[in-house]
């Protein structure tokens, strides 16, 4: 069972992912090397929650609980300590992502599931730099995360059935609609989008 979630990267996707997990009762660690970026992320999350409160979809009590569920960290080791799930939402750069997953594999507990929010990089390739290929999976959230329902749950070549099932159920617990996909270029959304863009060009 997943209770503690660490999110790496405090940009638009990272703060959106942290927001949604925290809103649905998960303990969230939001990690970024830049302390100023983390402050900005919390300000953005607060602003987005205020918008939800104004619309009546959340209460002021929900806002307080959600923000209380998020803690920020500038050190990776401290941020992922005791995490059940780590969601990497760093820049879409294969070198950066592989380096992050190498580090995560060496410092996270043996049972920690490591997920990437990548929209295009092979999960199998990411898993290849770790010793836990069965626990590496893709969780591709759509932007803006608090609003969009779809999550692509991407299985790498060695991702286990148990991990896939757990991530599918976790995604549903966030009020999302998860779609299980195999590790093919572009996954689902981008495979549909690219031909449309080509046709328009």
């Amino acid at each position: 069972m997943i209770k503690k979630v660490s999110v790496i990267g405090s940009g638009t996707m990272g703060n959106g992912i942290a927001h949604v997990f925290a809103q649905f009762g998960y303990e969230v660690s939001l990690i970024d090397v830049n302390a100023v970026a983390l402050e900005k992320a919390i300000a953005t999350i607060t602003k987005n929650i205020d918008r939800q409160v104004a619309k009546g979809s959340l209460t002021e009590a929900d806002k307080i609980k959600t923000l209380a569920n998020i803690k920020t960290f500038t050190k990776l080791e401290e941020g992922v300590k005791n995490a059940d799930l780590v969601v990497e939402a760093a820049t879409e750069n294969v070198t950066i992502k592989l380096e992050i997953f190498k580090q995560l594999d060496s410092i996270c507990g043996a049972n920690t599931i490591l997920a990437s929010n990548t929209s295009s990089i092979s999960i199998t390739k990411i898993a290849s730099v770790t010793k836990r290929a069965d626990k590496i999976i893709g969780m591709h959230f759509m932007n803006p995360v608090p609003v969009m329902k779809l999550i692509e749950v991407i299985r790498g070549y060695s991702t286990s059935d148990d991990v896939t099932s757990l991530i599918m159920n976790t995604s549903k617990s966030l009020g999302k609609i998860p779609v299980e996909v195999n590790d093919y270029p572009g996954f689902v959304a981008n495979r549909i989008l690219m031909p449309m863009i080509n046709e328009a060009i």
Side-chain angles (χ1 to χ4, degrees):
M1 189 175 173
I2 292 170
K3 290 181 179 177
K4 295 185 177 181
V5 178
S6 296
V7 180
I8 299 171
S10 66
T12 304
M13 292 303 293
N15 71 53
I17 294 167
H19 171 173
V20 169
F21 272 107
Q23 184 180 318
F24 284 86
Y26 291 86
E27 293 176 44
V28 178
S29 298
L30 182 58
I31 307 160
D32 199 301
V33 291
N34 187 330
V36 175
L38 285 170
E39 285 176 23
K40 190 176 170 186
I42 295 298
T44 300
I45 292 168
T46 304
K47 191 168 107 183
N48 289 337
I49 296 172
D50 284 337
R51 200 176 289 130
Q52 289 175 291
V53 172
K55 285 180 181 174
S57 58
L58 285 183
T59 65
E60 196 64 35
D62 293 329
K63 173 186 172 179
I64 292 164
K65 278 183 193 171
T66 300
L67 292 172
N69 281 336
I70 305 172
K71 291 184 173 57
T72 58
F73 296 87
T74 53
K75 291 183 180 172
L76 190 64
E77 296 86 350
E78 292 175 9
V80 300
K81 195 177 179 182
N82 302 321
D84 302 307
L85 168 66
V86 179
V87 182
E88 169 274 316
T91 309
E92 191 72 352
N93 176 304
V94 66
T95 307
I96 291 170
K97 288 189 187 289
L98 294 181
E99 184 53 40
I100 288 170
F101 274 82
K102 271 187 204 170
Q103 289 181 55
L104 289 173
D105 190 47
S106 67
I107 60 181
C108 289
N111 294 319
T112 304
I113 297 168
L114 306 180
S116 177
N117 182 55
T118 182
S119 60
S120 60
I121 298 166
S122 165
I123 299 303
T124 304
K125 182 169 188 173
I126 290 172
S128 71
V129 300
T130 76
K131 295 183 177 72
R132 64 179 83 200
D134 60 318
K135 293 183 180 68
I136 308 296
I137 197 162
M139 281 187 89
H140 180 214
F141 290 78
M142 304 295 142
N143 201 17
V145 180
V147 177
M148 301 296 279
K149 292 285 187 184
L150 178 66
I151 298 179
E152 290 179 321
V153 176
I154 307 120
R155 293 185 69 139
Y157 181 76
S158 302
T159 308
S160 74
D161 291 340
D162 286 347
V163 165
T164 304
S165 176
L166 182 56
I167 295 303
M168 290 289 285
N169 289 331
T170 299
S171 300
K172 288 173 188 171
S173 79
L174 303 173
K176 302 297 186 186
I177 300 168
V179 177
E180 183 183 333
V181 298
N182 290 321
D183 196 8
Y184 294 128
F187 311 135
V188 170
N190 283 332
R191 279 174 82 88
I192 293 168
L193 180 63
M194 286 306 127
M196 291 171 68
I197 290 172
N198 287 339
E199 185 181 335
I201 290 168

